[in-house]
DNA sequence: CGGACTTTGTCATCTCACTAGAAAAAGTCC
DNA sequence: GGACTTTTTCTAGTGAGATGACAAAGTCCG
């Protein structure tokens, strides 16, 4: 019935239709560099195997109206973003537009059986809503290093019990479609590439400031994973000789200074010690403090909160300055829960980076906040698997 | 007469013959995945245009002896490595084996006219020795950032007067062959990839500790240059909040602590202050102190020299630890003049990196010294241009 | 309404890269 | 000298892909 592209042309056509939407057939020829006759043959085959369908013809441009083709509206991709403290599951159409999205808090430390069970239950809920017309693939992000080829986490520090657990196999079998697993930071980067701040940029750095601190690397629009799949691990770069003890065992790591847990810890301390009346009031009102609270406090002029943002931004900036000098990206995107600190944080990061990085590397380097926020992960996950499904062989 | 490959098959064949040497024709088919008949057609064309020639047939393996083909022995490539304080020019055959090599001290700050004039005179000397049979290309390395597409240096800090000077055009026209210009660190990395420590490794970091400190990045065997061509600039990463003033205007840069100039400065200070009797004696004997002197002093047990090596290695290791966590290379090669400090330096770097980098990234990460030493640059330069010449279109 | 013009879709034909397989050539081994 | 192997050459066939003629379906204008 529905199949996979048979050759590179078909793969290119599918990705083009995914990224640019439905198109008149006659236009496509120029874009992919094929003659009409050949192009129509390939398109007919794609229609034949159910991946592409014909839509109502476009308005005339002075001659015969052109037949429009688009990706089949029945195609679906699923994205599962497993964070340290939450699960997001979404279903998209072939153009990776979200049709359904559910989110739930969940501690990844409960282990793969519990967490994946919950994620799959969320997916089944979406299936129950009739959203799984023809599921062609599922992308999965997990908060730790991944052996990409096998689709298994590899000694993930934040995920006890997940080491070498066959995530791809379990999820793929359960949903009955091909799957791919990658680090959550990498898929967020893909998400921003597909639909967010990083559209049409080649070399991108996505810096995630969340429970963990890490960074996704895109080179020529593709994830760079490094020799053993752990590339982008900047959370444990030293920012000071002495400093708080980190989960990794070293001291002075960026994550121990300014990860989500560190920020909550410092904010709570500021509230309790009386240095921050604003945060103290918040703390009394209810749940534990988060980055959003610190952001509100800073916006309200709370001195202690402003200082937290400043110092955190400075330390992130120090690490980024080195990374940017080394990698010379075309764009840096700041994402993750701590990025809710917003523009004050961004301003501090920019100041340090522009001062300390090589001038050539920062000459026209935008440093921006994530556009997609919480949906970057799931969108990126579907992009990951759709890149694979829409590729030849 | 002699031309360029017409298609991707021919390009692959040429690179294969370059990297693995001459081969029986029958063997080649399996390697490039072509049928015999097709392969022989392409080979005949390459022979026809003078790039490939037939050699004496190989010994029989139980049947008819196979005809051997190899790259034409008349083909030549030239490599020009312009360092901060020296020029190296070499000519190689098509397999990038050095046939002639001349080296001369030269201060790059004398400007492009003087320096390139000298380099071209050195090349003409090699031509005079009959080494330019059929020059097919010249690769050029310069000690600063390069706009690769245009072949011009771009605001190079160590090279006043070179900004946007048309190096590729001038050298290419003078030698009458295509040319390519790149950063000297990048071409050193290519050199180690081709014939040195980095053979058959995909993701490589070449760290050059010389007058400048920088690093060449190879991803899948190709140079990664970044969005604006300045990738790998780790010389100006901050290692301490305060520290010596650097040429870049900031303080605490790695290069200001442990570049060639810094090491000479510190060694001389140690000699003059009496902390190092060994270095003081050397200094009296003649020319200014270099890394080789410090290495000898350390080997002789001179405490001050050992301390210089230790502290330098520690600082390099600190920066590398961050870079390695981020980039997760499969190999790190230490090169440049300061690398003459040898294994004591290496030991210190390794200790810091293995302690501070992400365990997954260092799990099986070799950190080694350059195999090629002073010839890495010129070999890499010829590799750069031969990659271009041996590629289709 | 009907021609002039334009754009899209279809079809037959031609070229060329490439494979497969037969047959010839050049060896070795007994 | 024959049996067997390996390389080389040659021929025919397949399929991707381009090209260009022609039909189909529009618009525009008198």
């Amino acid at each position: 019935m529905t199949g996979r592209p048979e050759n590179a042309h078909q793969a290119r056509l599918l990705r083009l239709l995914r990224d640019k939407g439905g198109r008149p057939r006659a236009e496509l020829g120029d874009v992919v560099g094929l003659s009409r006759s050949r192009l129509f043959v390939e398109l007919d085959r794609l229609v034949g195997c159910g991946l592409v369908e014909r839509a109502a013809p476009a308005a005339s441009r002075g001659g015969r109206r052109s037949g429009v083709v688009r990706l089949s509206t029945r195609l679906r991709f699923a994205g599962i973003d497993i964070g340290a403290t939450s699960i997001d599951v979404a279903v998209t159409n072939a153009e990776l537009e979200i049709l359904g999205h559910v989110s739930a808090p969940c501690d990844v430390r409960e282990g793969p059986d519990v967490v994946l069970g919950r994620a799959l239950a969320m997916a089944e809920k979406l299936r129950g809503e009739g959203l799984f017309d023809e599921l062609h693939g599922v992308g999965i992000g997990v908060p730790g290093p991944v052996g990409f080829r096998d689709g298994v986490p590899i000694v993930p520090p934040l995920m006890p019990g997940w080491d070498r657990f066959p995530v791809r196999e379990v999820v793929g079998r359960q949903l009955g479609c091909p799957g791919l697993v990658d680090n959550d930071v990498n898929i967020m980067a893909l998400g921003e590439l597909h639909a967010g701040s990083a559209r049409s940029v080649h070399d991108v750095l996505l810096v995630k400031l969340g429970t963990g601190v890490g960074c996704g690397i895109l080179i020529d629009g593709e994830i760079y994973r490094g020799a053993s799949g752990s590339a982008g691990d900047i959370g444990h770069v030293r920012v000071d000789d002495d400093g708080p003890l980190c989960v990794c065992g070293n001291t002075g790591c960026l994550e121990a200074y300014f990860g989500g847990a560190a920020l909550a810890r410092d904010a709570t301390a500021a509230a309790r010690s009386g240095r921050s009346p604003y945060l103290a009031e918040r703390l009394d009102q209810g749940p534990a403090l988060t980055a959003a609270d610190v952001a509100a406090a800073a916006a309200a002029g709370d001195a202690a909160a402003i200082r937290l943002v400043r110092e955190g931004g400075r330390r992130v900036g120090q690490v980024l300055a080195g990374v940017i000098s080394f990698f010379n990206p075309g764009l840096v995107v700041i994402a993750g829960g701590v990025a809710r600190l917003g523009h004050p944080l961004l301003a501090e990061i920019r100041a340090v980076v522009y001062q300390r990085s090589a001038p050539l590397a920062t000459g026209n380097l935008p440093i921006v906040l994530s556009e997609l926020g919480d949906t970057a992960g799931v969108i990126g996950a579907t992009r990951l698997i759709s890149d694979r499904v829409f590729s030849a062989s």
Side-chain angles (χ1 to χ4, degrees), chain A residues 136-159:
Chain A
H136 273 248
V138 55
I140 305 140
V142 298
V146 170
F148 182 70
R149 249 188 43 191
D150 302 325
V152 299
I154 292 186
V155 290
L158 295 178
M159 305 166 70

Side-chain angles (χ1 to χ4, degrees), chain A residues 267-294:
Chain A
T268 308
R272 296 242 165 87
S273 71
R275 291 200 309 280
S276 169
Y278 187 104
L279 288 174
E281 193 174 336
R282 274 283 164 109
L283 190 56
D284 288 341
Q285 282 171 10
L289 293 172
T290 70
D293 299 316
V294 178

